[in-house]
Amino acid sequence: MVSRILTIAQQELRIGIRNRWILLATLILAFFSLALALLGSAPAGTLGVDRLTITVASLASLSVYLVPLIALLLAFDAVCGEIERGTLLMTFSCPISRTEFLLGKTIGHTLVLTIALVAGYGLTAAVLLTMGTGSLSGLADFARLVATSVLLGICFLAIGYVLSSLTRQLGTAAAAAIAAWLLFVVLYDLALLGALVANPSGFFASHVFPYAILLNPADAFRLFNLAALGASDLVGGMSGVSETLPFDPTLAFISLLAFAAIVLTASAILIRRITP
């Protein structure tokens, strides 16, 4: 069982590393990470905060946009792409279960995502430490950012697998992936903001909004990281929200784990029902 899963994972790792879009996304991660690190010198001096910590606070917001996009680029053709290329029937004719197939895909794509994040963000951490503007506590914040970014990516890998299992054509899956990114990363927050503006002190603001944040992995990720940094003096927005929540921000991390588990289970159920 393990060897079959690792075989699929190795194949996806090779494909992902050769993917030009993933390479481009990694370069974008590195570029913006370095830019934010260099531009973060001013608030670091004013607040007396480690520049590495300032950079992590900025990258927590950047990751919300780029990590889900990278994950969906990896996952949108995981099933329908195999169907369109005619390789899914051949794969399932081998002694491998559909759950093993999904686990192999998930492990391989997670490794690709981890490599992209370590390469993209690790370069910035190395530069700051070399310049003497980073500390061990800031490095721990950076490691937490990378780890939770991988978890955020797994959530969107799972979404991509669900979409790929529901479609039979690559074009349709790609369009669905873009729509999912817009929904979770852009439109969801706009809807919450609109509801808050319409009724800033009513039932929605006090009883619905805090828990609505937990339902979106992008918001849960940002909430957990900024709350862990105590970033209210560093950035606005979600950091201020974390101070007024009716629950511990650690629940946001738990919601990420739960979201990934639930959606991966849903994708496994859908893949079992596919007839290649």
Side-chain angles (χ1 to χ4, degrees):
M1 173 181 176
V2 174
S3 62
R4 294 192 293 268
I5 293 174
L6 292 180
T7 298
I8 297 293
Q10 290 171 0
Q11 179 182 355
E12 294 303 321
L13 179 60
R14 288 194 297 269
I15 294 173
I17 290 176
R18 293 198 301 265
N19 190 322
R20 295 181 181 179
W21 289 107
I22 304 303
L23 176 60
L24 177 61
T26 303
L27 293 175
I28 291 173
L29 282 172
F31 174 78
F32 279 106
S33 178
L34 282 170
L36 289 170
L38 297 176
L39 293 173
S41 58
T46 302
L47 298 173
V49 179
D50 188 287
R51 191 192 295 188
L52 199 54
T53 300
I54 291 279
T55 303
V56 171
S58 301
L59 292 181
S61 295
L62 178 65
S63 294
V64 168
Y65 295 94
L66 291 183
V67 171
L69 185 60
I70 296 174
L72 289 170
L73 283 173
L74 285 167
F76 82 93
D77 66 341
V79 180
C80 67
E82 298 266 8
I83 294 175
E84 193 165 287
R85 291 188 294 269
T87 56
L88 190 64
L89 179 60
M90 182 177 63
T91 300
F92 287 164
S93 65
C94 298
I96 181 172
S97 71
R98 303 195 179 198
T99 300
E100 292 169 350
F101 171 80
L102 177 62
L103 286 174
K105 291 272 186 180
T106 304
I107 293 172
H109 290 156
T110 300
L111 287 174
V112 174
L113 183 64
T114 302
I115 291 171
L117 286 166
V118 171
Y121 288 168
L123 175 62
T124 297
V127 168
L128 291 179
L129 289 172
T130 301
M131 293 171 59
T133 54
S135 65
L136 290 179
S137 62
L139 192 60
D141 292 333
F142 223 92
R144 183 180 59 248
L145 172 69
V146 172
T148 52
S149 293
V150 171
L151 180 56
L152 175 65
I154 293 173
C155 291
F156 279 87
L157 284 174
I159 292 172
Y161 298 147
V162 168
L163 297 176
S164 189
S165 301
L166 291 173
T167 57
R168 289 299 182 110
Q169 296 180 337
L170 279 175
T172 304
I178 293 173
W181 182 85
L182 287 172
L183 174 63
F184 282 96
V185 177
V186 180
L187 299 180
Y188 191 91
D189 285 350
L190 288 177
L192 291 183
L193 179 60
L196 280 177
V197 170
N199 190 10
S201 58
F203 179 83
F204 178 85
S206 59
H207 294 87
V208 178
F209 175 75
Y211 299 98
I213 291 175
L214 297 178
L215 296 178
N216 185 349
D219 286 339
F221 163 84
R222 182 161 44 194
L223 171 63
F224 173 75
N225 277 280
L226 295 184
L229 288 172
S232 58
D233 293 330
L234 307 181
V235 293
M238 193 66 72
S239 57
V241 171
S242 66
E243 299 174 357
T244 60
L245 290 174
F247 51 78
D248 191 305
T250 305
L251 189 59
F253 179 77
I254 297 174
S255 75
L256 280 172
L257 292 172
F259 187 96
I262 292 171
V263 182
L264 278 174
T265 301
S267 62
I269 294 172
L270 289 172
I271 289 176
R272 287 174 188 169
R273 296 179 178 179
I274 289 176
T275 303

